[in-house]
Amino acid sequence: MSMVGDLAFAREVRDRLRHYGVRATLATGPDGMVRILVFADELDRARRLISS
């Protein structure tokens, strides 16, 4: 899980992950931060994709 404050940026990250076949979705927490959620078995791959 990653948290960002910008919904548009979160959507870009989610879309990039989905493009590479990572199951990802968004959720907004009570603090207003947008969480990018991925399945646990895809977390390492998602982190590698985001950091590249």
Side-chain angles (χ1 to χ4, degrees), residues 8-40:
F9 179 71
R11 286 180 177 152
E12 288 178 25
V13 171
R14 179 203 55 201
D15 292 347
R16 178 177 181 187
L17 291 171
R18 286 181 173 178
H19 175 78
Y20 288 102
V22 175
R23 296 171 293 168
T25 191
L26 303 177
T28 304
D31 58 359
M33 295 296 289
V34 181
R35 288 155 174 80
I36 304 163
L37 307 172
V38 299
F39 283 80

